Amino acid sequence: MAFNKLLSFQLEYAPQYHLTKYVSARTGLQLVHIDHKSSPLVQGYFAVGTECPNDSGVPHTLEHLIFMGSKEHPYKGLLDTVGNLCMSSTNAWTATDQTVYTLTSAGWKGFSKLLPSYLNHILFPTLTDEACTTEVYHVDPEDFSDKGVVFSEMEAIESQSWFVTMLEKQRLMFPEGSGYRSETGGLTNNLRTLTNDEIKKFHKEMYSSDNLCLIICGNVPQSELLDIMENWDSTLPEKDNSTKKRPFLDTPESQIPSSRNEIIESTVEFPELDESQSEILFSWIGEPYLSYTTDLAVSMLLDYFTESALAPFTKQLVEISDPLANSTDYWTDDYMRTIINLGIHGVPTEKMEQTKAKVMEILATHEIDMARIKQVVDNGKWEYILRCEKNGDSVLSQAVITDFLYGDLHGSSLEASVKSLSDFNELSKWTSEQWSSLIKKIFIDNKPIIVLGKPSSELYESIDKEKEKLLRERKEQYGEHGLSKLRETLDQAQTHNNTPIPESLLEAFILENPEKTVDFISTVSITVCDDTKHKNEADPLTRSILNSKPENFPLFLHLGHFPSQFIELHCLLNSTCIKDTTLLPYYHVFTELFSMPMKGENNEIVIPYEEVVSKLKSETVDSQISLGLNATCPELIDLRIRCKSDDYSKAVNWIKHCLFDMIFDEKRVSVLVENYLNSIVELKREGDVMLESLTCRNIYSTRSMKKSVDPLYVESILEDVLNDIEDGKFQEKVLPRLETMRIQLREHFNKFHILIFGDVSKIQSEVYKPWESLIANLDAAPQSYKVKTPPVPRLLSSVSPLCKKPSERAYIITAPASESSYMNVITPVPFNLNYNDPEYAAVLLASEYLQCVEGPFWKGIRGSGLAYGANMVKMTEINSWGFNIYRGTDIVKCYQAGKQIVEGYATGVAQFQPNLMQGAVNSIINRLATIENGYFAASISKYVDDFLLARGPNFNKMILERLADVSIKELQHVMQKYFVNLFDSDKSVVFICCHPSKVEAVQEFLEEQGFTVDIEELEDEEQDEDEDDEGNSD
Ligand SMILES: [Zn+2]
C-alpha cells in the first residue's frame, strides 16, 4: 500500500463531511479525500506550492502552459476536449504562494476517467516554444500590438486600482528576494521578455510529487480512488524525504517578521479620467498560521469594524453626510503569517488624508462594544457553518491547501484547523481586556503599510501616448522583413499547437450513457396551494404539512425539504403591482429596508435603526433584498432571510417587519442614497457592467426592473431625490412615493411567492403559525378562499420595441477606465416562453456547440487571443439569443470571427464533429449538475423549473433526453434560421463597451456593416475640456 493514512475525521459542526488525509511514503504525494454526498459534483483541487522571487509571471504562465499538452498526450486542448466528454471542466488559479488546478465533474465516473491524464499534464507537460508563443506573448504581425493569452489577461487588470495598490503593498511589506513580494501573474513588461527556458526551469524546481497535494471532494468510492491514485503514484519517481525543502517555510528571504515598528506610506496612481474617488489600503502583519484562535479573533474584529450598518467604519466613514468613503472591507492573505488587509473604497480624493487619519483614530480610540462583538462571533460561526453546507468543497479545500503549505507534515495542524469550532466558542468568552489588548497589539503597536491609490487622468493619457509610441517604434524596428518573420513564427506556432487530437485517443474517454452516471440529489417539494397538481400524498411529511394547514390560510407556501441546520426563507414580491413605473428606481431605497428604524409593538415607539440591525443579526444568519430568485425572473423582488432552524418564527416576523413596520427615515434614506450614488463611480470603471447597463437600458422598457433600476438610468433620478431631501421636501415628495411603492407591493397577498427551504421536519409543527401576524395586517381573505399559484411576471412583457424587432441599430458606450472591450449582439429567437418547443433543444445544443471548450469560438476567438471569452447567451425569456464577447482585445475582429464561424456552419463549409457534439451535450449536463450543487440549490432550482418558468419539475431529465437526439441537420438548420441573423444588420442589434480610443474604428466598422451607431460617452462634466483635445488628436 503506497499511501499511508495520516488522519481521518468527521467535521463536528458539519457531519456530512468526512476528511481523510494520506501521504505516499515513496513519492511524498499528499492526497486528501473530503467525502460527502450532498452534491452531484465531484471536485478536485490539485495544489502546488509555488514560490517565485520576481515579477516575471513564471508561475502564472506555467499554469496556462500545463493545459497545452503532456508528454503522454501532447495535444493542446486535450484536457478540455476530453473534459467535455467526461462531463468535466478544468480550471486553475495562480496566487502569490500557490498554483491550484481544478477539475469539476458531474459524477465520479467522468472524474476518474480524466484524473490520471490531468495529473500527467501537471507533472509532465510538454512546455513547447510554440505554446509559449501563442499562450504567453507574441507581437501581432498585423499591427505590431502585444498579444498572447496571458499578456492580454494581465494587461486588462494591471492598471486597475486594486492591482496597483496591492502590488505596491507587497513591495513595501516584503524585501527583495521574498516570494511574497512578487506579482506572480506577471507584469506585462516582464512577460514581453520571459523565456520558455525560465518556465521550464521553474517547473523542474517546483512541480514534484512531494510539493503536490490532491484534494478530492464528493461522493467518491474510497477504494476506487485509492486504486487509481496508487496506480498513478507508482509511475512517479521516488523522492528522498530527507532533503525536502518546502517553499516559503524553508526560504530565508521569505521569512516574515513578527511585526513592523514603523508606518510606511506610499501614494500610487492608477489611470482614470474621473479623478473624484480614490482608494486606501492598510496592511498589517498578523499572527503565524498555527495561531488559529488569534487569527480568527483578528478576522472577527475586522468583521466588527467593517460589516453591517453598525460597524464603526460604516457609521463613521460611510453612512454619514459628506461621506469619507463609500465602503470598507477586509481580507487576509493566509501565508506563514497572516497578512491583514483593510480596504477603504470610494474615498473622495480631496479627503484622502482626512480619511486615513480617521481610520487610525477609530482603531486607536474605539471601545469595544462587548454585546456586539459577541454577536459578531456568533454570527461568524453560523455564517461559516452555512458556507460549509452550501459550498463545503471550496471552503474546506482552501483550508487544506493553506495547511499543505504552512502546516505540519503529520496532519495534526489540519485536524486542529478544521475539525471543530472550539475557536469560536473560546472567543465568545473573551473579555473586553482581551479584545482591547488584541487591537493594541495588532493594529496600534504593530505598524501598517498604507497605500493611497489615486486616480490620474494624466497617467491615463500618457499610457495611451506611450502605447502609440511603442507601436510606431516597433513598426520601424521590424520593417518588412521582420514582419514576415513574425508572421512565420506565429503561423508555425499555431499549426503546431493545432495538431488534431487522434479520434482513437478521444474514444478512450467516451462515457456510455453519460446522463446516467450523475447522481443528482433529490429533495422533497411540498406546495401548500389549492390548485397545484404536484402533491405527493404518499409522503408522510407532505401529508402532515398539508393536513395541519389552518382553515382559510390565505398564503401560497412552497417548502423544500432536505437535511440542513438552516432555514432559507424567500418572499417574492411582484414588481408589476407597482403601477407607476417612475417609482421603480426607488428599489435602491427599498433594498435597504433591513437597516431602517422600525415601529415597535403597538406602533407607539420607534426602535432606532442600530437596534433593528442588532436584533436582526441576533435572530437571523443573513438577510438580503434582491431581484429574482437566483437571478431568474428579475421582475420579482426577493426578500431573503436565512436563519438557524430554531429561529424560523423570528425570521418570518422580519418579512412582516419589512412590509409594514420599517420606517423610511429621512436621514437614513438620504445617507443610503448618497452612498449608492457614490458607488456608481466604481461601476463605471467596469467594462462588463457598463455593457450590461447599455444593453438593459435599450432592450427593456421602463416597466422592467432591468431598466428601471439600472445604475446609469437611476443616477439622475436619485440625485433629484437627494436634492428634494436637501430642499426639505422629504415628507411631501419622497416619502409618499416610497410608501406607495411598498403599499402596492404588499397589497395583493395572492401574488406573494413564499418559499421555505431547509429541514422542514424540524419546523413542521410551526410552519403556519408565525405567518399570522403578517396575515392580520393584510386584507382579509374572503370566506372559502382558494389559494392559487401566484402569477409570475415574465421579462417578455417588458421588452422594448428594439428588442422585439432589432434592425440596423448599434450602441457604443465608452469606458475610459476599461482597457478591454465587451460586446453583446442580439437577435430574435422566439420560443414565446415555451421551453417544450421542438426546436429548443437544437438551439440550445447549437449554441453550446459554438461556445464549448475547444469548440469553434474557443479556438477561433479565445485561442487566437482576440478575447478572453466568447459565448452565446440564452435569452429565452425575451425571445432572443445573444453573442457575447468578454474582455476582447480587438472587438472588430471578434465580430468578424464570430460571423465567419457561424456562417461557416450555416453554409456547410464547416462540418459539425460528432465528438464535439457529444462534448457539448455533456457540458450541458455538467452545467445542470453545477446549478444543483448542494441541497439548497437543487431545491430552489426545482421551484424555478416548476413554478417560475413553468416547464415542469422534470425539465432537466426531459431536455437531456432531447439533446441526445438532436441531429447534425437540425444544428445546421438552427445556424441558418437563427444564428446567422446575429451578424445581419437588418435583424440584430449590437452593444459595445470600449475604450474611447477605439470608438472611431469600431463605429466605422459597424457603419460599414449597415448599422446606425449611437455613442454614449461616460466621462462627466469634468471632462468637457478634454473633448477638444480628442477632436484634434487624429
Ligand atoms: Zn490566467
Side-chain angles (χ1 to χ4, degrees):
M1 174 98 166
F3 282 95
N4 297 327
K5 193 187 276 189
L6 282 185
L7 74 165
S8 182
F9 60 88
Q10 193 170 26
L11 299 193
E12 288 173 5
Y13 50 90
Q16 64 271 42
Y17 296 104
H18 192 106
L19 199 147
T20 311
K21 178 158 184 169
Y22 307 87
V23 64
S24 160
R26 210 174 59 79
T27 66
L29 178 69
Q30 301 185 29
L31 170 66
V32 176
H33 177 204
I34 301 176
D35 188 19
H36 68 90
K37 300 190 167 45
S38 50
S39 166
L41 297 181
V42 174
Q43 308 209 58
Y45 299 82
F46 313 134
V48 187
T50 43
E51 181 179 20
C52 170
N54 56 51
D55 302 327
S56 61
V58 166
H60 179 207
T61 49
L62 175 56
E63 173 219 306
H64 278 247
L65 293 179
I66 290 295
F67 292 92
M68 302 291 281
S70 72
K71 302 231 158 89
E72 176 200 25
H73 295 141
Y75 304 99
K76 173 190 169 203
L78 177 102
L79 283 181
D80 293 320
T81 309
V82 166
N84 269 348
L85 293 176
C86 297
M87 293 185 293
S88 304
S89 57
T90 57
N91 212 332
W93 74 77
T94 302
T96 305
D97 58 353
Q98 59 192 266
T99 305
V100 182
Y101 298 86
T102 64
L103 173 59
T104 304
S105 309
W108 164 247
K109 279 274 175 311
F111 189 97
S112 58
K113 231 177 182 137
L114 187 54
L115 182 61
S117 173
Y118 195 179
L119 296 177
N120 279 334
H121 276 72
I122 295 174
L123 286 193
F124 311 105
T126 49
L127 302 182
T128 61
D129 290 348
E130 289 85 354
C132 208
T133 300
T134 58
E135 201 66 11
V136 180
Y137 177 74
H138 62 267
V139 172
D140 188 330
E142 302 263 316
D143 59 3
F144 298 103
S145 64
D146 297 305
K147 288 278 158 70
V149 177
V150 177
F151 188 93
S152 307
E153 187 187 336
M154 296 313 294
E155 188 183 37
I157 58 173
E158 179 173 82
S159 56
Q160 290 179 5
S161 57
W162 60 270
F163 187 98
V164 173
T165 50
M166 285 290 282
L167 180 62
E168 180 70 0
K169 176 209 85 176
Q170 280 166 226
R171 288 176 174 175
L172 295 173
M173 180 81 89
F174 305 106
E176 291 269 3
S178 164
Y180 294 124
R181 180 186 169 93
S182 51
E183 172 42 54
T184 51
L187 296 179
T188 49
N189 249 333
N190 302 53
L191 288 172
R192 288 194 181 104
T193 54
L194 176 66
T195 65
N196 195 15
D197 283 342
E198 290 170 73
I199 300 172
K200 284 183 181 159
K201 182 161 165 278
F202 186 77
H203 183 267
K204 204 165 167 202
E205 284 166 6
M206 291 286 160
Y207 281 51
S208 64
S209 54
D210 58 351
N211 189 29
L212 176 62
C213 177
L214 313 177
I215 303 154
I216 294 171
C217 321
N219 190 356
V220 171
Q222 194 122 334
S223 62
E224 270 184 49
L225 171 64
L226 282 175
D227 280 350
I228 290 178
M229 289 318 305
E230 286 183 4
N231 262 332
W232 186 67
D233 187 70
S234 70
T235 66
L236 304 178
E238 193 166 336
K239 281 279 164 183
D240 176 5
N241 234 336
S242 60
T243 59
K244 179 179 162 59
K245 271 208 153 89
R246 296 175 76 183
F248 299 96
L249 286 179
D250 294 328
T251 308
E253 293 82 358
S254 294
Q255 300 307 303
I256 304 177
S258 61
S259 63
R260 305 181 43 88
N261 45 28
E262 197 186 6
I263 295 184
I264 295 193
E265 193 184 308
S266 167
T267 303
V268 287
E269 295 187 328
F270 57 92
E272 162 74 60
L273 283 177
D274 181 341
E275 293 185 343
S276 64
Q277 289 189 8
S278 298
E279 303 278 312
I280 309 181
L281 171 63
F282 292 81
S283 286
W284 291 267
I285 293 175
E287 294 289 293
Y289 166 66
L290 293 172
S291 309
Y292 307 113
T293 313
T294 325
D295 267 331
L296 180 67
V298 171
S299 291
M300 291 299 103
L301 267 182
L302 286 165
D303 245 3
Y304 173 95
F305 275 107
T306 60
E307 303 272 300
S308 100
L310 300 181
F313 290 150
T314 314
K315 282 182 82 170
Q316 297 181 54
L317 303 173
V318 181
E319 295 185 359
I320 53 175
S321 42
D322 269 336
L324 293 173
N326 187 38
S327 68
T328 64
D329 63 0
Y330 79 93
W331 65 101
T332 56
D333 301 318
D334 300 325
Y335 299 157
M336 68 174 78
R337 295 189 82 96
T338 303
I339 303 299
I340 305 154
N341 305 291
L342 169 66
I344 313 289
H345 309 288
V347 178
T349 301
E350 71 282 3
K351 291 184 183 159
M352 266 216 282
E353 286 300 318
Q354 192 188 340
T355 308
K356 181 190 78 192
K358 187 75 187 170
V359 169
M360 294 307 285
E361 181 204 309
I362 294 172
L363 286 171
T365 58
H366 182 78
E367 296 241 357
I368 285 282
D369 171 347
M370 285 305 289
R372 186 161 172 259
I373 188 87
K374 274 193 200 315
Q375 189 71 69
V376 168
V377 171
D378 189 55
N379 265 316
K381 179 172 96 178
W382 287 101
E383 276 165 17
Y384 174 77
I385 298 174
L386 180 63
R387 270 212 310 284
C388 281
E389 257 195 29
K390 288 208 157 197
N391 205 2
D393 291 351
S394 119
V395 174
L396 296 170
S397 55
Q398 195 54 59
V400 173
I401 292 169
T402 308
D403 188 78
F404 154 66
L405 293 172
Y406 303 112
D408 69 45
L409 292 170
H410 315 289
S412 61
S413 56
L414 177 60
E415 184 160 347
S417 79
V418 297
K419 185 179 178 184
S420 80
L421 297 180
S422 56
D423 294 338
F424 281 102
N425 299 338
E426 199 182 324
L427 291 184
S428 65
K429 293 187 207 108
W430 268 29
T431 61
S432 97
E433 288 71 41
Q434 280 173 296
W435 287 111
S436 310
S437 72
L438 183 69
I439 297 185
K440 186 162 179 301
K441 178 181 172 199
I442 300 285
F443 297 111
I444 307 301
D445 296 345
N446 174 31
K447 304 298 180 199
I449 302 279
I450 307 177
V451 182
L452 308 175
K454 263 179 74 171
S456 162
S457 56
E458 209 170 299
L459 179 62
Y460 177 86
E461 269 146 29
S462 70
I463 285 184
D464 270 359
K465 293 209 175 91
E466 240 165 75
K467 219 181 235 172
E468 280 166 29
K469 186 165 154 248
L470 182 84
L471 290 187
R472 271 201 310 274
E473 284 172 2
R474 264 201 199 138
K475 208 167 182 174
E476 283 163 27
Q477 174 200 338
Y478 278 97
E480 269 311 304
H481 179 69
L483 187 74
S484 64
K485 186 93 187 111
L486 277 180
R487 194 168 283 137
E488 199 179 307
T489 316
L490 185 62
D491 286 349
Q492 209 178 350
Q494 273 166 348
T495 315
H496 183 273
N497 292 340
N498 291 334
T499 312
I501 306 167
E503 286 294 313
S504 59
L505 176 54
L506 293 180
E507 265 149 36
F509 289 93
I510 290 174
L511 291 174
E512 256 176 63
N513 298 326
E515 69 280 359
K516 296 200 175 114
T517 67
V518 188
D519 296 317
F520 283 97
I521 51 179
S522 62
T523 61
V524 176
S525 293
I526 308 166
T527 307
V528 184
C529 171
D530 295 309
D531 73 351
T532 175
K533 306 132 263 172
H534 333 282
K535 269 184 196 143
N536 178 12
E537 303 272 2
D539 172 56
L541 183 66
T542 306
R543 231 176 21 243
S544 146
I545 298 287
L546 295 179
N547 290 343
S548 62
K549 186 181 92 141
E551 212 159 302
N552 246 18
F553 185 83
L555 299 174
F556 169 92
L557 301 186
H558 174 92
L559 301 95
H561 169 65
F562 46 83
S564 172
Q565 303 183 59
F566 300 91
I567 291 287
E568 182 171 311
L569 204 62
H570 295 259
C571 178
L572 303 170
L573 304 170
N574 193 325
S575 72
T576 60
C577 296
I578 303 166
K579 305 278 177 322
D580 176 358
T581 58
T582 66
L583 295 178
L584 298 180
Y586 286 79
Y587 165 78
H588 291 287
V589 178
F590 197 80
T591 56
E592 303 291 344
L593 268 178
F594 283 118
S595 68
M596 295 283 175
M598 184 168 98
K599 280 186 270 183
E601 299 285 322
N602 312 326
N603 292 345
E604 273 160 23
I605 43 160
V606 170
I607 307 173
Y609 84 90
E610 289 96 336
E611 267 176 54
V612 172
V613 173
S614 161
K615 188 162 187 282
L616 177 71
K617 280 272 171 192
S618 72
E619 297 182 348
T620 65
V621 178
D622 63 23
S623 52
Q624 184 188 300
I625 299 178
S626 60
L627 292 179
L629 183 62
N630 282 6
T632 307
C633 289
E635 309 294 277
L636 292 167
I637 299 175
D638 178 23
L639 312 185
R640 187 198 73 198
I641 299 173
R642 294 174 177 144
C643 63
K644 292 175 266 177
S645 304
D646 285 348
D647 289 334
Y648 164 71
S649 307
K650 294 174 185 159
V652 171
N653 250 331
W654 283 100
I655 305 271
K656 184 239 167 191
H657 290 327
C658 252
L659 293 178
F660 289 93
D661 306 332
M662 298 298 197
I663 298 166
F664 291 109
D665 171 71
E666 174 169 357
K667 181 98 196 303
R668 290 293 291 159
V669 170
S670 143
V671 160
L672 295 169
V673 169
E674 182 172 6
N675 192 29
Y676 176 73
L677 282 170
N678 287 335
S679 74
I680 297 178
V681 174
E682 269 175 69
L683 297 181
K684 287 182 182 170
R685 291 176 186 164
E686 307 292 334
D688 52 340
V689 177
M690 288 301 99
L691 175 70
E692 172 75 4
S693 167
L694 181 72
T695 308
C696 286
R697 281 178 291 125
N698 284 293
I699 64 174
Y700 297 106
S701 69
T702 50
R703 178 68 263 168
S704 172
M705 298 298 271
K706 298 283 274 183
K707 175 169 183 167
S708 282
V709 312
D710 173 83
L712 297 195
Y713 179 79
V714 301
E715 196 173 16
S716 63
I717 299 172
L718 293 180
E719 272 162 10
D720 289 345
V721 170
L722 269 192
N723 291 336
D724 283 341
I725 297 178
E726 266 164 39
D727 295 346
K729 294 184 187 147
F730 179 77
Q731 293 289 338
E732 169 200 339
K733 284 185 80 173
V734 182
L735 185 61
R737 290 170 69 76
L738 284 166
E739 288 297 2
T740 305
M741 177 175 173
R742 178 160 65 172
I743 290 168
Q744 293 184 344
L745 275 175
R746 73 188 180 208
E747 214 162 35
H748 304 282
F749 59 80
N750 57 336
K751 295 191 176 170
F752 299 173
H753 296 245
I754 294 172
L755 318 179
I756 301 163
F757 299 106
D759 190 334
V760 174
S761 67
K762 289 183 183 160
I763 57 162
Q764 114 177 251
S765 60
E766 48 163 358
V767 166
Y768 302 98
K769 191 135 187 25
W771 296 97
E772 280 171 9
S773 84
L774 173 65
I775 293 169
N777 279 281
L778 302 169
D779 288 345
Q783 271 303 316
S784 65
Y785 170 75
K786 291 244 181 294
V787 178
K788 297 206 172 94
T789 306
V792 178
R794 306 289 283 264
L795 269 177
L796 189 57
S797 27
S798 48
V799 294
S800 69
L802 174 75
C803 177
K804 285 184 195 148
K805 203 174 179 313
S807 177
E808 295 174 11
R809 303 289 302 178
Y811 298 81
I812 302 177
I813 188 166
T814 59
S818 177
E819 277 295 312
S820 311
S821 307
Y822 301 81
M823 174 167 71
N824 279 331
V825 185
I826 298 173
T827 193
V829 177
F831 291 120
N832 295 313
L833 306 183
N834 177 14
Y835 287 84
N836 290 312
D837 188 294
E839 272 186 349
Y840 181 70
V843 172
L844 195 63
L845 188 58
S847 150
E848 188 66 35
Y849 186 94
L850 287 170
Q851 73 176 10
C852 74
V853 170
E854 287 301 315
F857 287 168
W858 178 279
K859 284 189 169 156
I861 297 175
R862 185 185 152 108
S864 47
L866 294 177
Y868 193 76
N871 287 294
M872 296 296 283
V873 195
K874 297 193 288 268
M875 307 171 106
T876 323
E877 286 289 297
I878 56 167
N879 276 350
S880 302
W881 222 268
F883 168 62
N884 171 270
I885 291 293
Y886 178 76
R887 268 168 44 188
T889 49
D890 187 332
I891 207 72
V892 168
K893 278 194 196 157
C894 287
Y895 184 95
Q896 288 168 323
K899 183 178 162 105
Q900 194 192 353
I901 290 167
V902 170
E903 285 175 354
Y905 284 98
T907 54
V909 171
Q911 300 289 316
F912 289 95
Q913 295 159 22
N915 270 342
L916 200 54
M917 268 172 76
Q918 186 58 54
V921 171
N922 290 2
S923 68
I924 295 174
I925 303 178
N926 188 19
R927 183 151 346 106
L928 293 178
T930 305
I931 291 172
E932 304 203 350
N933 176 21
Y935 289 117
F936 279 102
S939 196
I940 289 174
S941 153
K942 254 167 114 172
Y943 188 78
V944 167
D945 280 343
D946 207 7
F947 290 91
L948 298 189
L949 303 183
R951 56 191 191 185
N954 298 315
F955 179 72
N956 284 356
K957 198 166 161 276
M958 183 212 72
I959 195 75
L960 290 181
E961 281 164 12
R962 288 197 184 161
L963 284 170
D965 291 339
V966 174
S967 67
I968 286 183
K969 217 170 139 223
E970 286 170 279
L971 288 185
Q972 193 181 7
H973 179 70
V974 167
M975 299 283 175
Q976 291 162 348
K977 183 171 171 190
Y978 297 120
F979 290 175
V980 289
N981 297 343
L982 282 166
F983 304 98
D984 176 345
S985 62
D986 282 342
K987 294 170 184 153
S988 66
V989 53
V990 178
F991 300 99
I992 289 174
C993 172
C994 68
H995 193 264
S997 65
K998 305 204 170 130
V999 74
E1000 217 170 303
V1002 175
Q1003 178 180 9
E1004 198 173 308
F1005 171 78
L1006 290 173
E1007 282 169 357
E1008 277 166 21
Q1009 300 296 309
F1011 292 101
T1012 306
V1013 182
D1014 186 278
I1015 298 174
E1016 190 177 331
E1017 289 184 24
L1018 256 191
E1019 303 100 315
D1020 43 25
E1021 311 78 58
E1022 292 158 47
Q1023 294 314 312
D1024 285 351
E1025 62 222 67
D1026 291 325
E1027 273 172 15
D1028 291 337
D1029 288 347
E1030 273 170 14
N1032 296 335
S1033 66
D1034 284 32

